[in-house]
Amino acid sequence: MIWNQAFLSEGKTIKRTRVLTKAGPLLAFVLICIALEIVTGGRFLTTSNIANILRQVPIIALMAIGMLCVILLGGIDLSAGSLLAIGLCTSGVVRKFYLTNDSLISGIILLTICVVVSTVFGFINGILLTKLRLPHPFIATLGSKFVCRGLALLITGSATISGFPNSATTIGTYNLFGAIPLSFILTISLYIVMHIFLSNVATGRKIYAFGGNREAAKYAGINTDKVQILCYSLSGLFCGIAGIVYLGRLNSAVPLATQDGDMDAIASCIIGGASFLGGKGNVWGTLVGAFMIQVIRNGCTLLKLSTDLQQIVIGIIIIVAVYIDVLRNEMDNKRKLLAVAKANKVEDANIN
Amino acid sequence: MHDVFVELKNITKYFPGVVALRDVTFSAKRGMVHGLVGENGAGKSTLIKILTGVHQPDKGEIFVNGKKVKIGGPSDSKNLGIGCVYQELNLCPDLSITDNLFLNAYEEKGLFLNYKEMHERSERIMADLGQRIDPRTKCGELGLGVQQAVEIGKSVLTNSRLLIMDEPTSSLSEAEVSQLYSVIKRLKKQGVSIIFISHKLEEVYQCCDDVTVMRDGQLICTKPVSAVTKEQLVSYMVGRSLDTMYPKSVTKKRNIMLSVKNLSSPGILFDVNFEAYGGQVLGFFGLVGAGRTETMRAIFGVDNNKTGDIYIGNNKTTINSPRDAISNNIAFLTEDRKKEGLILGASVVDNLSLVTIDRDKKGLFLDKAAIHKRSKKNVETFRIKTSSLNAPVGTLSGGNQQKVVIAKWVNTNADIYIFDEPTRGIDIGAKTEVYNVINDLVKEGKCVVIVSSELPEIIGISDRVIVMRHGRIMADIDRQSSHFNQEDIMKAAWGGKIQ
C-alpha cells in the first residue's frame, strides 16, 4: 500500500519517461533527417529521393518485423538473410527449369514458393531450438544460416537467375500514383497487422510473456514450445515476403542476396528500442529503426561516402542507441529505489 | 461434494542423491487454511511442486475431488483448479497488471483480445484484493505487496479451488500482511482450500486451521492448530532439542577486526556503522529487503555505489572490488552457493583452489602437487564427503558443497569471514556440521559475520546480533543482554524500538 502511494506520486515522471521511450527513436530519426537535409544542401528531402528511400526500406523493414518477434522472445535469428536467399533461389530455380511461361498463375506459384520455402526453414529453426533442445537460438540459427546459404548457392550453381514474369515482379516494382511503391504499402499494411497481432491477440501477448519471464509463462500453462516455433516461423515468413520484394526489384534470384540482412534486421529492432533480453519492444520502433538505417545509407550515398564509412556510422548509431537505453534504465532504477526508501521512512516513522 | 479437495497418498520423490519426499500422505479440505511448516530442505517446496505439476512423483497417487488424477504439468494443475503463489514472484515486469493476470486466460472477442473487459475485470479483482490501482500499470513498477496481490489475482481469476502460498509474508510490511490475512479469510468463506507455508509460527497460529509439520522429506504430523503448542511444533520441526542443533561454544572476544563507518548507498543503505571482533560470531538479522546482503556486498566491493569508510584492524582500507577485499583477507560466502559460490561441473579440487589460483603457482605453472596435498587436507579437516577429489562438486550433497565453499576461503588465510545464509537449502544434520566449522573458525580467533533470515539460527550461533531494517541498523544486541530473544529481535526487525 505504502509502496503504492510512493509510485503514484512518481506517476507523472514515469509517464513522461514512457512518452520519451516511445518517441525517443522517432525524435532521433527526425533529427538525422534534418541534419542530412542540411549537409546534402537540400538534396535529401526531394520527392525523388524520398520515393527512393520508400523503395529501399521494405526489404529490411520486412525482415526486421519477423526478427522483432524472435527478439521479443529473448532470442535471435542469425539466419534471416539466408532464409531470404533460399526462398528466393528456390523460386528462381523453379522459374528457370520448370515454370518458363509468363502466365499469372506461374507468377503466383513462384511467389508462393519463395514465401513457403523461407517459412519452412524458419519453422525448422524453431524445431531445432525446442524439440532438439539446442541450448541457444544463436547456435540453431547460426547452423541454418550456413546451411541455407549453402543450399542457395548449390541449387543455383552459384549463379544469378534472371527473368521473372511480370506477374511475379509487380509487387517489387509497381508504384501507386506513380510515386508510392506498392512494396512500401505492403510493408506498412503488414506492420499494422503485426501491431494488432502483438498487442491485441492472445498469441501475440504470449510472445511478450515468454520473453518477459519464461517461468511465469511456463507456470501459466502456456505452450512455450509452440510460441517459440511460431516466432521463428514468422521470422522465416517475413524473410520470404521480403524475398518477394527483392525478386521484383532486381528481377532476379541472387544466391548471395542480403548477406548482411540478419544484422540489419537485428539493428533495426535494437535501435527501435527492443530489448535483447526479450519482452520489450514494438513494431513502430522497429519501423523507425529500419528507416534510420536506410536513411543513413541513403544519406551516405548522396554525400558520396564510401560503404565502409556507412558501416562505421551505422555501427556507432547502434552503440549510442543502446547506451542511451542503458542510461535511462539506470536512472529509472535509481529513482524507484529512492522512492521506496522515502516510503519506508514514512512507514518507520508511523510505527514509532 | 467431497469434504477433502485434494489428497496426496504415499507420495515419494527422488532427486539425484536425495529422497526429497518419503511416503507423504497429505490432504487439503475445502474452506480450510492448512499450514505447512518445516525447516529448509524439509520437502515443503517439493510437495508444492508436485501439486503444481512442476515435478511428477515417483510413487504414490493424487486425488482431486475424490477422483484419481495425474498432474503432468502446470497446465494440468491449473485445469484442476490449483493455483500457487510462489515465494519468488513470477511476473513479467514489462507487461501491465491486466496482461499478467490474464496470462494464458485471455478474454477474446472474435480473434482479438477484449482489453476493455479485461481491464475492468482486473480492476475489480485487484480492488477485491485491497489494491485500488490502474490495471494498465506495468508490474515492474509495483511494490512487492501489490505484485503479490497480482499473483493471488491470477488464482482468483481462474477460480482456483486450492490456493498454495509459499511464504507469502516474507517480503511484506505489517500493513500488507494484515491485508493478506483478510484476503485469505474472504477466499476461505468462498470454500477455497488454502495451503499456507510459513517459517513464522505466529502466522500459522493467526490464520491456519490445521498444521502439518515436515522434516527431512517426511510428514511428521498433521494436527488442528488449537491442539498443538508452539514448543511442540518447534520440536517436531527440528526433531531434537535446540541445544544439540546449535552447538554454541563460548569463546573469548578479541580485538576489533572490521569496522564500518557511515556506510551509505543511495536508496539502499543509510549510515551503517558497526564493529566486528575476532573470536566472535556477529549475526545480521532482518526481513527481506532490510539491506543485510547489500551491506556485505558493499564491504566486499561488489556494489561500488557507496560512501563511508571501512577499517580492517586499525587501517582505513579502500575496497573497490572483490580482489581488493580478498587481498585484505576478507572472505565472502555468498547466499547462492550454486550460482556464485561453486563451479558445479568442476571437480572438488578445482573448486577448492578457485580463489587461491593466482597464488598456487610455481614459476609460470600451477603447483598441482601442492594444491592436491592441501585439498586432501581440506577434505579431512572439514569432513567433506566425496567419492574423490576429482568428483564434480555438483554430485556432492548441499551440506558438503557448502563445506567446499568454506574450505576454499579458509585456503586464502582470510581473517574475516562473511557468511550469507550459510545453511540455506541444506539438511539439518549438515547444518550442525556447518555450525561446527564456524565455531572452529571463531576458536582460532577469526572474525565471523553471518547473515541469516532464520531467527532460531541467528540466536543459536551468534555472540551478538545486529538487526537491520530498510537499510538502517535498528539494534545491536549482545548475547548477554536481556533483549537477546526471538520477540525483541523480531520487534526490531519490524521497526519497533526495544527499551
Side-chain angles (χ1 to χ4, degrees):
Chain A
M1 287 293 276
I2 291 155
W3 291 62
N4 229 338
Q5 286 156 13
F7 284 112
L8 285 182
S9 63
E10 292 281 308
K12 263 188 196 154
T13 24
I14 286 175
K15 254 181 207 147
R16 212 178 304 142
T17 30
R18 244 187 233 155
V19 171
L20 266 181
T21 315
K22 288 224 166 107
L26 188 62
L27 195 72
F29 175 67
V30 171
L31 288 178
I32 286 176
C33 286
I34 295 172
L36 279 174
E37 174 69 2
I38 295 169
V39 269
T40 56
R43 281 180 296 142
F44 179 72
L45 289 177
T46 60
T47 326
S48 72
N49 193 48
I50 291 174
N52 222 347
I53 292 171
L54 295 188
R55 251 191 305 280
Q56 289 164 341
V57 101
I59 293 179
I60 162 172
L62 286 167
M63 289 171 82
I65 195 168
M67 185 66 74
L68 176 68
C69 297
V70 170
I71 285 183
L72 284 176
L73 288 179
I76 192 165
D77 186 354
L78 294 177
S79 65
S82 306
L83 292 180
L84 183 149
I86 185 63
L88 178 66
C89 290
T90 313
S91 184
V93 169
V94 171
R95 165 67 181 168
K96 190 173 169 188
F97 296 108
Y98 305 101
L99 268 185
T100 42
N101 69 56
D102 286 356
S103 69
L104 176 66
I105 297 292
S106 57
I108 292 172
I109 293 174
L110 289 172
L111 296 188
T112 313
I113 289 173
C114 183
V115 173
V116 169
V117 170
S118 297
T119 312
V120 165
F121 278 98
F123 175 78
I124 292 174
N125 274 338
I127 296 290
L128 289 175
L129 196 64
T130 52
K131 303 300 175 198
L132 260 61
R133 300 180 298 280
L134 293 193
H136 193 279
F138 197 103
I139 296 161
T141 59
L142 183 67
S144 47
K145 176 190 178 77
F146 287 117
V147 170
C148 290
R149 183 68 69 185
L151 280 174
L153 286 163
L154 182 75
I155 59 173
T156 55
S158 307
T160 299
I161 299 170
S162 303
F164 283 91
N166 277 340
S167 49
T169 54
T170 306
I171 295 179
T173 51
Y174 187 76
N175 289 326
L176 286 167
F177 317 115
I180 304 171
L182 179 60
S183 57
F184 181 69
I185 303 290
L186 174 75
T187 307
I188 294 297
S189 319
L190 287 173
Y191 264 78
I192 293 171
V193 170
M194 285 307 282
H195 168 72
I196 295 170
F197 171 71
L198 286 172
S199 58
N200 241 314
V201 173
T203 315
R205 300 313 289 169
K206 288 181 192 173
I207 297 173
Y208 279 95
F210 180 90
N213 186 340
R214 250 167 226 241
E215 293 298 303
K218 201 172 86 192
Y219 288 142
I222 289 175
N223 186 337
T224 51
D225 281 2
K226 210 164 122 189
V227 172
Q228 289 186 80
I229 293 172
L230 173 80
C231 286
Y232 284 90
S233 304
L234 277 174
S235 179
L237 172 72
F238 280 98
C239 288
I241 299 174
I244 291 182
V245 176
Y246 192 99
L247 182 154
R249 275 193 62 203
L250 277 85
N251 190 20
S252 50
V254 186
L256 289 178
T258 55
Q259 273 195 299
D260 290 332
D262 15 81
M263 292 306 144
D264 282 351
I266 294 168
S268 305
C269 298
I270 300 302
I271 293 174
S275 160
F276 233 71
L277 301 173
K280 212 176 120 193
N282 65 69
V283 295
W284 305 120
T286 305
L287 186 62
V288 170
F291 260 100
M292 194 109 93
I293 291 178
Q294 204 49 255
V295 156
I296 289 163
R297 291 243 161 91
N298 175 280
C300 289
T301 315
L302 288 182
L303 291 170
K304 298 204 168 60
L305 293 180
S306 54
T307 40
D308 30 0
L309 276 173
Q310 293 182 21
Q311 306 256 36
I312 295 172
V313 173
I314 292 170
I316 291 173
I317 287 194
I318 294 174
I319 293 168
V320 170
V322 176
Y323 182 59
I324 290 174
D325 207 49
V326 168
L327 288 182
R328 209 182 43 222
N329 281 339
E330 274 176 6
M331 265 156 57
D332 246 34
N333 287 340
K334 209 166 176 182
R335 216 195 38 244
K336 274 185 209 167
L337 269 176
L338 290 174
V340 169
K342 214 163 95 189
N344 285 341
K345 217 171 159 186
V346 174
E347 189 192 333
D348 286 352
N350 288 340
I351 290 172
N352 289 304
Chain B
M1 283 270 265
H2 232 254
D3 184 34
V4 171
F5 175 69
V6 67
E7 190 173 15
L8 300 175
K9 270 193 182 152
N10 309 99
I11 298 284
T12 298
K13 174 77 191 169
Y14 302 102
F15 285 128
V18 274
V19 187
L21 289 178
R22 197 191 299 267
D23 205 19
V24 170
T25 297
F26 175 88
S27 58
K29 294 182 201 129
R30 280 172 208 290
M32 298 276 251
V33 183
H34 200 126
L36 187 56
V37 298
E39 297 261 299
N40 282 335
K44 294 168 298 179
S45 311
T46 315
L47 188 72
I48 295 319
K49 285 186 174 158
I50 285 192
L51 278 170
T52 53
V54 177
H55 295 318
Q56 279 70 49
D58 293 313
K59 275 184 214 155
E61 297 169 318
I62 305 170
F63 295 86
V64 172
N65 270 332
K67 257 200 308 216
K68 191 176 159 181
V69 294
K70 202 173 159 273
I71 306 180
S75 51
D76 285 357
S77 163
K78 230 175 134 182
N79 292 338
L80 289 167
I82 300 172
C84 182
V85 177
Y86 291 95
Q87 197 179 358
E88 301 90 23
L89 298 172
N90 268 315
L91 296 172
C92 304
D94 281 312
L95 294 185
S96 68
I97 292 178
T98 304
D99 267 319
N100 272 291
L101 273 179
F102 283 83
L103 200 65
N104 212 24
Y106 301 100
E107 295 269 342
E108 291 175 86
K109 206 156 79 184
L111 263 181
F112 304 111
L113 294 176
N114 189 350
Y115 264 113
K116 193 171 163 262
E117 164 91 22
M118 289 199 292
H119 281 318
E120 272 169 21
R121 274 186 68 191
S122 38
E123 191 161 5
R124 230 176 307 135
I125 288 172
M126 292 304 286
D128 276 348
L129 296 172
Q131 308 288 347
R132 299 204 173 274
I133 189 161
D134 182 358
R136 290 163 195 83
T137 320
K138 282 187 187 176
C139 281
E141 286 162 14
L142 304 173
L144 285 173
V146 194
Q147 289 196 14
Q148 191 182 55
V150 176
E151 287 279 8
I152 298 174
K154 281 188 197 173
S155 301
V156 174
L157 181 77
T158 51
N159 221 346
S160 291
R161 304 314 296 160
L162 169 67
L163 180 60
I164 303 164
M165 298 179 157
D166 192 358
E167 299 206 29
T169 60
S170 57
S171 42
L172 299 188
S173 72
E174 220 160 350
E176 288 168 333
V177 170
S178 63
Q179 196 157 44
L180 179 71
Y181 288 158
S182 57
V183 168
I184 289 177
K185 253 183 220 142
R186 197 169 326 140
L187 291 172
K188 213 173 122 169
K189 257 190 215 136
Q190 294 163 6
V192 176
S193 328
I194 293 169
I195 298 179
F196 187 95
I197 299 173
S198 181
H199 263 325
K200 298 170 197 152
L201 296 182
E202 295 77 19
E203 291 178 1
V204 172
Y205 281 95
Q206 245 168 42
C207 75
C208 296
D209 301 302
D210 289 336
V211 60
T212 288
V213 183
M214 293 190 70
R215 186 174 77 223
D216 294 335
Q218 277 169 308
L219 196 141
I220 304 300
C221 66
T222 297
K223 290 193 170 165
V225 169
S226 50
V228 60
T229 66
K230 215 158 139 187
E231 287 67 33
Q232 280 171 316
L233 276 183
V234 171
S235 68
Y236 290 144
M237 275 164 64
V238 181
R240 60 183 117 172
S241 76
L242 288 177
D243 299 343
T244 51
M245 172 91 201
Y246 301 109
K248 179 81 196 128
S249 54
V250 183
T251 42
K252 221 181 122 231
K253 176 168 125 184
R254 302 187 194 187
N255 47 332
I256 295 179
M257 290 177 78
L258 169 72
S259 45
V260 171
K261 299 216 160 103
N262 304 324
L263 185 66
S264 295
S265 170
I268 302 173
L269 298 174
F270 305 91
D271 270 333
V272 172
N273 285 289
F274 71 91
E275 284 97 36
Y277 299 84
Q280 191 184 57
V281 178
L282 172 60
F284 267 78
F285 184 75
L287 306 174
V288 172
R292 297 163 298 161
T293 298
E294 288 76 4
T295 305
M296 302 310 152
R297 286 169 64 93
I299 294 171
F300 199 65
V302 187
D303 296 329
N304 283 319
N305 191 8
K306 63 183 176 194
T307 54
D309 300 322
I310 295 165
Y311 291 77
I312 307 289
N314 292 320
N315 308 318
K316 191 170 153 181
T317 316
T318 314
I319 299 176
N320 284 326
S321 69
R323 256 185 112 77
D324 293 347
I326 293 166
S327 62
N328 279 297
N329 292 339
I330 305 177
F332 186 30
L333 292 87
T334 51
E335 188 172 10
D336 192 337
R337 189 171 60 238
K338 291 186 177 155
K339 242 199 217 149
E340 300 158 341
L342 290 169
I343 300 172
L344 290 175
S347 66
V348 172
V349 63
D350 282 349
N351 273 287
L352 283 171
S353 52
L354 203 58
V355 201
T356 40
I357 197 142
D358 279 332
R359 304 181 205 169
D360 295 340
K361 279 187 296 200
K362 203 162 139 190
L364 267 179
F365 304 103
L366 284 175
D367 187 352
K368 289 254 181 182
I371 293 176
H372 197 85
K373 208 171 129 200
R374 189 188 56 206
S375 303
K376 223 170 140 191
K377 216 179 116 213
N378 285 153
V379 168
E380 281 161 22
T381 8
F382 291 97
R383 296 175 295 275
I384 299 169
K385 273 184 225 126
T386 173
S387 54
S388 90
L389 279 179
N390 294 318
V393 125
T395 60
L396 272 59
S397 73
N400 283 302
Q401 286 182 9
Q402 187 67 306
K403 286 192 250 172
V404 171
V405 179
I406 298 174
K408 168 182 97 173
W409 284 109
V410 169
N411 289 339
T412 65
N413 288 321
D415 294 320
I416 300 163
Y417 291 83
I418 303 173
F419 290 80
D420 197 356
E421 304 286 354
T423 61
R424 175 167 290 177
I426 62 183
D427 56 46
I428 293 188
K431 278 185 184 182
T432 309
E433 291 198 39
V434 170
Y435 301 144
N436 280 326
V437 171
I438 290 172
N439 279 336
D440 290 345
L441 289 174
V442 177
K443 254 182 237 158
E444 285 173 37
K446 309 283 189 194
C447 165
V448 174
V449 179
I450 288 183
V451 172
S452 174
S453 302
E454 288 178 58
L455 198 40
E457 173 172 285
I458 279 284
I459 289 184
I461 61 176
S462 307
D463 295 294
R464 209 177 107 212
V465 172
I466 286 179
V467 186
M468 288 188 78
R469 175 177 174 81
H470 292 160
R472 290 182 179 79
I473 289 185
M474 301 298 290
D476 187 335
I477 310 168
D478 203 80
R479 199 175 180 86
Q480 263 65 45
S481 152
S482 60
H483 296 301
F484 197 86
N485 58 52
Q486 296 221 12
E487 285 69 31
D488 280 349
I489 291 177
M490 206 44 160
K491 197 173 153 202
W494 278 118
K497 286 226 164 59
I498 309 176
Q499 261 70 47

